[in-house]
């Protein structure tokens, strides 16, 4: 194999290439729905779930993992309903600290203890409204990795930035 246009040539182990191809093929897509601070009430959330139960086909979990990111207040209230639809539950954020005197925060370990497997991090609103930096997000990612919590990392761009290219 001629790799001269790609820099130095290294011998290619066909078993390693085959393993890498299998790993890529075995990955599942993840589709997430961030509810932000919606619906406004617990009752509206229940109504939305009832409508989904009627309208949505079964999700083939072998092909895609679907997660819903409800407001923190409802993380545990609707877990059973989401799972009944074949959806996982994902937190919208996670603190960058361990347990301690951090009013209003929750840790990666807290989320794992609730049975969650995922959290969003780095959302543009967290960056623009609350001043989160790349360094803050990196600390959060590290805490999540230590706790075994999966991260859906948001790029963090504002709508104007995305639409502007």
């Amino acid at each position: 194999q001629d790799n001269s246009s790609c820099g130095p040539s290294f011998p290619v182990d066909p078993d390693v290439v085959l393993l890498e191809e299998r790993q890529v093929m075995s990955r599942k897509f993840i589709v997430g729905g961030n509810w932000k601070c919606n619906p406004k009430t617990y009752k509206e959330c229940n109504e939305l779930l009832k409508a989904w139960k009627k309208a949505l086909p079964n999700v083939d979990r072998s092909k895609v993992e679907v997660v819903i990111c409800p407001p923190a207040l409802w993380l545990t209230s609707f877990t059973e309903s989401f799972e009944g639809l074949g959806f996982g539950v994902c937190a919208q954020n996670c603190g960058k600290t361990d347990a301690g005197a951090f009013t209003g925060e929750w840790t990666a370990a807290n989320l794992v203890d609730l049975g969650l497997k995922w959290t969003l991090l780095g959302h543009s609103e967290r960056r623009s409204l609350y001043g989160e930096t790349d360094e803050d997000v990196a600390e959060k990612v590290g805490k999540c990795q230590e706790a075994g919590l999966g991260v859906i990392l948001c790029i963090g761009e504002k709508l104007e930035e995305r639409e502007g290219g």
Side-chain angles (χ1 to χ4, degrees):
Q1 181 175 2
D2 179 14
N3 292 332
S4 58
S5 63
C6 299
S9 178
F10 298 100
V12 177
D13 182 344
D15 292 333
V16 172
V17 172
L18 183 58
L19 176 62
E20 289 172 358
E21 288 173 359
R22 283 188 193 146
Q23 287 174 337
V24 170
M25 291 172 51
S26 68
R27 290 182 186 162
K28 277 201 272 188
F29 288 99
I30 300 171
V31 176
N34 183 7
W35 283 13
K36 302 182 183 234
C37 279
N38 297 299
K40 293 178 187 175
T41 67
Y42 186 86
K43 180 182 176 185
E44 288 176 2
C45 187
N46 268 317
E47 290 169 3
L48 180 59
L49 287 170
K50 286 177 187 173
W52 280 358
K53 285 179 184 177
K54 292 179 185 174
L56 295 175
N58 292 332
V59 175
D60 185 348
R61 292 195 133 225
S62 69
K63 295 181 181 175
V64 65
E65 184 166 354
V66 178
V67 295
I68 301 296
C69 313
L73 181 62
W74 300 330
L75 278 174
T76 57
S77 300
F78 293 101
T79 298
E80 191 174 309
S81 296
F82 289 139
E83 289 174 350
L85 292 169
F87 300 164
V89 180
C90 176
Q92 293 181 6
N93 190 34
C94 179
K96 63 180 182 178
T97 62
D98 293 320
F102 304 103
T103 302
E105 289 293 311
W106 50 92
T107 68
N110 294 146
L111 297 174
V112 169
D113 187 54
L114 290 175
L116 274 65
K117 296 179 182 171
W118 295 100
T119 187
L120 292 178
L121 291 179
H123 196 281
S124 63
E125 294 158 0
R126 300 289 314 168
R127 294 171 186 262
S128 65
L129 299 176
Y130 301 101
E132 279 190 4
T133 64
D134 288 344
E135 292 76 19
D136 293 327
V137 175
E139 285 183 60
K140 291 179 176 193
V141 168
K143 291 295 182 183
C144 291
Q145 288 176 327
E146 289 172 14
L149 185 65
V151 171
I152 299 174
L153 185 62
C154 302
I155 301 301
E157 64 190 1
K158 294 180 187 176
L159 179 61
E160 301 84 40
E161 293 171 328
R162 184 176 59 186
E163 289 177 346

